[in-house]
Amino acid sequence: MIAWLREELKIRKWDRKAESIRAGYSEGIHEANAAGDWNKRNELLSLSDFEASEYGDEAAEIRSNRLVRRARRLSLPIPTKNDSSEHWRQSRTLGTWSLTAVGFAELRRAVRLEEKERRDVWLTLGGMLVSILSLVVAIIALLKP
């Protein structure tokens, strides 16, 4: 639980830093756009995306690792990391690997389905146990004078 909270705080920190960087460039981008200087606008957009991508990549790596850990605990197959995979991408700034939107959605769907199946088994067994205990209590109540 504490590790999850630490990760969540890091993710939020990286997201805030990326937004802060983009906000720092937004005024210059707006001015270049108003002046019709498309080259400067595109240059500023490119710079803001590049600088913010470092923090975005950190957050994406943490989210991906968290989901992969959940999938491994459930013994689910993890897509392999390679350059031609549609499930993984490698960061250009840091070189770290993170799940793409498609890979994240598919793995999350598989994790949720497996967790639901396991939970349903326990709920069924729990319902049967409650029924049996109710029957035992009813029989004891009928046999008691």
Side-chain angles (χ1 to χ4, degrees):
M1 179 70 174
I2 292 174
W4 178 86
L5 184 60
R6 274 193 208 126
E7 286 178 344
E8 194 62 31
L9 291 174
K10 278 185 187 177
I11 288 172
R12 290 175 190 232
K13 176 182 169 184
W14 298 140
D15 286 343
R16 279 193 313 271
K17 282 189 176 187
E19 283 304 312
S20 170
I21 288 171
R22 286 191 180 98
Y25 279 96
S26 67
E27 185 178 332
I29 292 169
H30 180 69
E31 290 173 0
N33 198 23
D37 189 357
W38 306 118
N39 289 333
K40 182 169 179 150
R41 175 188 168 271
N42 291 339
E43 180 184 334
L44 289 173
L45 278 172
S46 177
L47 280 171
S48 72
D49 286 344
F50 178 75
E51 287 183 24
S53 71
E54 179 179 346
Y55 299 108
D57 291 344
E58 285 279 348
E61 181 188 18
I62 293 170
R63 286 183 182 105
S64 297
N65 288 340
R66 183 188 300 170
L67 184 60
V68 166
R69 278 195 309 269
R70 281 178 62 193
R72 283 195 177 124
R73 263 196 313 261
L74 298 169
S75 300
L76 293 174
I78 311 294
T80 57
K81 295 178 186 177
N82 59 35
D83 293 331
S84 62
S85 174
E86 68 174 1
H87 296 96
W88 290 95
R89 71 174 186 87
Q90 189 171 19
S91 166
R92 288 177 287 184
T93 55
L94 302 174
T96 58
W97 289 88
S98 62
L99 288 164
T100 62
V102 171
F104 196 87
E106 287 180 10
L107 192 56
R108 184 178 56 201
R109 188 178 309 115
V111 166
R112 286 181 175 173
L113 182 64
E114 182 65 24
E115 287 175 342
K116 182 183 183 303
E117 288 175 0
R118 290 181 182 201
R119 186 174 48 248
D120 288 347
V121 168
W122 285 106
L123 288 175
T124 303
L125 290 173
M128 289 172 44
L129 182 62
V130 167
S131 298
I132 291 171
L133 288 174
S134 299
L135 181 63
V136 168
V137 168
I139 290 174
I140 290 172
L142 287 174
L143 294 176
K144 197 173 184 181

